[in-house]
């Protein structure tokens, strides 16, 4: 197996924190606790986030003009539409279904998947669904999680779990905010067929951004090739003052792909993406079933807390539902540097799964990639290759919302005089990535 490939990612093995000798945090005015070493980058991205803030809903960013629709600037017709279903109902897995055994390599041909041949049409609540997944083995699994098999597992601290590593319960006001969720409204828009369409809009979710990025990349003359993920991936970002729940927000982005593409496991997530509190419950339940069970000991439990989560927890959730995934780790122990290894791996990911094409922008139906570095995680939604040979990751960062200028271009065809300005908030290149000596990805 490739040295960079790992089974059931664990923080102890990855030593993801080696490049952060100081674990001092500073609280940004946005409510997020940010590592001192990361604060300048964080502040610059806030500047990009607020670009064109003065625009109203009828104004375009400076240097941008609308154009007639271009049929060649669309995604493959194999994509499936989003569907709106009651959030409070989740289908139940067959009681006899078995999830992957602890220790199996993610995305293995031997991976056992949760059975979907007998979906319960009564749509139990999330708690009832988790109880069904746990089944009669819940107590045994809970005991196994703390058995002698994990004698060498240590309790983690602030270096790995953030400034609230030892809290037992988040503040009541924050819990209530997460329980309520972001504001939801219904808006009327003109659909593709010219008719009126009623759309549900969630205040901290942005849809249809990838078609905007595709047009901007087409118009950037410095680029030679671009790969983009499935257009149904939503940009999910934090609510005001919620703090550092980036790991959960990135999991929500991955699940938005599963919903939009009707990919493996989509029937578990009808309607809106699960909330942060729902995701905590799912991860805890997976640990209790013995899936990456060491995570329970490492974190001391995450239910109702602000402890940071990362790749291990994202992998745990997907494996618990039988959703295939592959985790990889990269470091600076040998040449090339870790960020170059990430570029290569992401490029291989797209190249192996994308038909050869002379088009500058390859609009694929591929899933996004969970991307972790010290103190923060993001969702990779594309890769840019410049004519000079340098590369950029294209990301959705859960710490930042789309600028008004970008939002104004959603579902529009346009020309931008300076596309690089609008792309800046989504690009992560050498200057950003070279500050870190280790990374994890989950795809």
């Amino acid at each position: 197996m490739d040295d960079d490939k790992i089974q059931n990612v664990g923080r102890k093995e990855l030593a993801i924190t080696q490049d952060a000798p100081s674990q001092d945090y500073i609280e940004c005015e946005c409510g997020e606790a940010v590592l001192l070493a990361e604060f300048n980058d964080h502040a610059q991205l806030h500047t990009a986030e607020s670009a064109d803030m003065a625009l109203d809903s009828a104004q375009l960013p400076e240097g941008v003009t609308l154009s007639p629709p271009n049929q060649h600037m669309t995604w493959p017709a194999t994509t499936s539409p989003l569907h709106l279903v009651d959030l409070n109902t989740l289908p139940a897995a067959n009681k006899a279904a078995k999830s992957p055994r602890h220790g199996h390599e993610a995305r293995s041909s031997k991976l056992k998947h949760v059975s979907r041949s007998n979906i319960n049409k009564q749509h139990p609540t999330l708690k009832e669904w988790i109880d069904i997944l746990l089944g009669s083995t819940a107590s045994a699994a809970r005991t196994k999680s703390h058995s002698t098999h994990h004698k060498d597992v240590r309790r983690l601290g602030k270096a790995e779990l953030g400034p609230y590593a030892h809290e037992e319960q988040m503040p009541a006001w924050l819990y209530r905010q997460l329980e309520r969720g972001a504001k939801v409204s219904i808006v009327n828009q003109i659909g593709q067929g010219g008719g009126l369409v009623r759309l549900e809009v969630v205040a901290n979710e942005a849809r249809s951004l990838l078609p905007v990025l595709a047009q901007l990349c087409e118009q950037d003359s410095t680029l030679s090739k671009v790969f983009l993920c499935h257009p149904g991936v939503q940009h999910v970002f934090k609510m005001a003052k919620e703090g550092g729940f980036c790991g959960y927000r990135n999991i929500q982005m991955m699940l938005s792909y599963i919903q939009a593409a009707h990919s493996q496991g989509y029937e578990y997530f009808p309607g809106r993406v699960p909330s942060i509190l729902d995701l905590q419950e799912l991860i805890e339940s997976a640990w209790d079933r013995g899936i990456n069970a060491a995570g329970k000991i490492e974190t001391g439990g995450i239910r109702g807390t602000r402890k940071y989560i990362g790749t291990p927890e994202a992998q745990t959730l997907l494996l618990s539902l039988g959703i295939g995934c592959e985790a990889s780790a990269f470091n600076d122990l040998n040449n090339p540097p870790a960020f170059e290894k990430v570029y290569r791996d992401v490029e291989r990911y797209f190249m192996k799964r994308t038909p050869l094409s002379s088009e500058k922008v390859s609009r694929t139906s591929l899933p996004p990639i969970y991307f972790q570095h010290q103190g923060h995680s993001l969702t990779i939604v594309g890769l840019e290759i410049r004519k000079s040979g340098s590369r950029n990751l294209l990301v959705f960062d859960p710490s930042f919302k789309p600028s008004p200028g970008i939002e104004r271009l959603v579902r529009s065809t346009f020309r931008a005089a300076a596309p690089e300005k609008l792309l800046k908030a989504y690009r992560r290149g050498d200057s950003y990535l070279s500050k870190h000596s280790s990374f994890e990805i989950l795809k």
Side-chain angles (χ1 to χ4, degrees), residues 253-289:
M253 290 191 237
M254 296 180 77
L255 296 182
S256 76
Y257 156 77
I258 290 174
Q259 292 176 318
H262 281 202
S263 183
Q264 180 185 7
Y266 79 92
E267 62 270 31
Y268 296 123
F269 304 106
R272 301 176 206 136
V273 292
S275 70
I276 288 174
L277 299 179
D278 290 341
L279 294 177
Q280 288 184 338
E281 191 68 33
L282 289 170
I283 293 167
E284 287 272 358
S285 297
W287 284 336
D288 288 344
R289 296 170 64 209

Side-chain angles (χ1 to χ4, degrees), residues 100-144:
R101 290 188 295 107
H102 183 58
H104 273 199
E105 180 182 1
R107 198 172 294 207
S108 165
S109 59
K110 298 179 181 179
L111 188 67
K112 295 180 181 179
H113 303 301
V114 178
S115 171
R116 303 182 191 86
S117 59
N118 185 24
I119 299 298
N120 187 331
K121 301 303 180 184
Q122 296 303 310
H123 288 193
T125 64
L126 176 65
K127 183 180 183 303
E128 292 170 336
W129 176 60
I130 291 171
D131 288 342
I132 290 172
L133 283 178
L134 288 172
S136 60
T137 61
S139 298
R142 198 170 284 112
T143 302
K144 181 180 177 181

Side-chain angles (χ1 to χ4, degrees), residues 187-432:
V187 299
N188 294 322
Q189 291 193 355
I190 303 299
Q192 292 181 346
L196 199 62
V197 178
R198 289 170 60 82
L199 295 177
E200 181 184 75
V201 177
V202 183
N204 73 325
E205 297 175 9
R207 295 178 178 176
S208 303
L209 290 186
L210 276 164
V212 174
L213 299 188
Q215 292 183 70
L216 292 170
C217 290
E218 288 276 10
Q219 296 165 30
D220 188 336
S221 60
T222 69
L223 300 176
S224 62
K225 186 67 180 178
V226 180
F227 298 95
L228 294 173
C229 291
H230 191 288
V233 180
Q234 297 179 38
H235 183 186
V236 184
F237 45 94
K238 65 184 181 183
M239 297 186 291
K241 303 297 181 182
E242 76 172 38
F245 288 105
C246 59
Y248 298 99
R249 297 305 186 193
N250 286 301
I251 292 175
Q252 289 174 327
M253 290 191 237
M254 296 180 77
L255 296 182
S256 76
Y257 156 77
I258 290 174
Q259 292 176 318
H262 281 202
S263 183
Q264 180 185 7
Y266 79 92
E267 62 270 31
Y268 296 123
F269 304 106
R272 301 176 206 136
V273 292
S275 70
I276 288 174
L277 299 179
D278 290 341
L279 294 177
Q280 288 184 338
E281 191 68 33
L282 289 170
I283 293 167
E284 287 272 358
S285 297
W287 284 336
D288 288 344
R289 296 170 64 209
I291 300 171
N292 284 358
K296 181 91 169 192
I297 302 172
E298 289 181 327
T299 63
I302 59 172
R303 186 182 283 113
T305 76
R306 290 174 288 179
K307 297 171 188 175
Y308 290 177
I309 66 166
T311 317
E313 288 71 39
Q315 184 194 47
T316 296
L317 187 147
L318 295 178
L319 289 178
S320 72
L321 301 176
I323 297 172
C325 57
E326 180 184 86
S328 304
F330 308 90
N331 57 49
D332 279 348
L333 295 181
N334 47 57
N335 289 325
F339 72 91
E340 286 286 355
K341 295 173 185 174
V342 171
Y343 286 147
R344 292 181 183 182
D345 192 79
V346 174
E347 186 172 350
R348 283 196 299 268
Y349 172 74
F350 283 109
M351 293 289 287
K352 287 182 178 180
R353 297 165 178 83
T354 305
L356 289 176
S357 170
S358 59
E359 293 183 347
K360 178 179 176 178
V361 178
S362 290
R363 297 162 172 81
T364 79
S365 294
L366 290 173
I369 301 172
Y370 187 102
F371 182 51
Q372 179 83 45
H373 64 68
Q374 165 62 23
H376 193 41
S377 60
L378 312 97
T379 296
I380 298 173
V381 295
L383 177 75
E384 295 179 327
I385 303 174
R386 294 189 180 278
K387 292 176 180 178
S388 65
S390 64
R391 286 164 287 190
N392 292 315
L393 300 177
L394 289 171
V395 304
F396 285 164
D397 190 330
S399 291
F400 307 97
K401 61 186 177 185
S403 72
I406 287 288
E407 289 182 325
R408 178 63 185 86
L409 300 177
V410 169
R411 300 184 183 88
S412 299
T413 305
F414 59 87
R415 292 294 304 177
E420 67 280 358
K421 290 183 179 179
L422 292 168
L423 284 166
K424 181 178 179 180
Y426 300 91
R427 286 173 165 165
R428 298 295 182 274
D430 294 4
S431 62
Y432 178 93

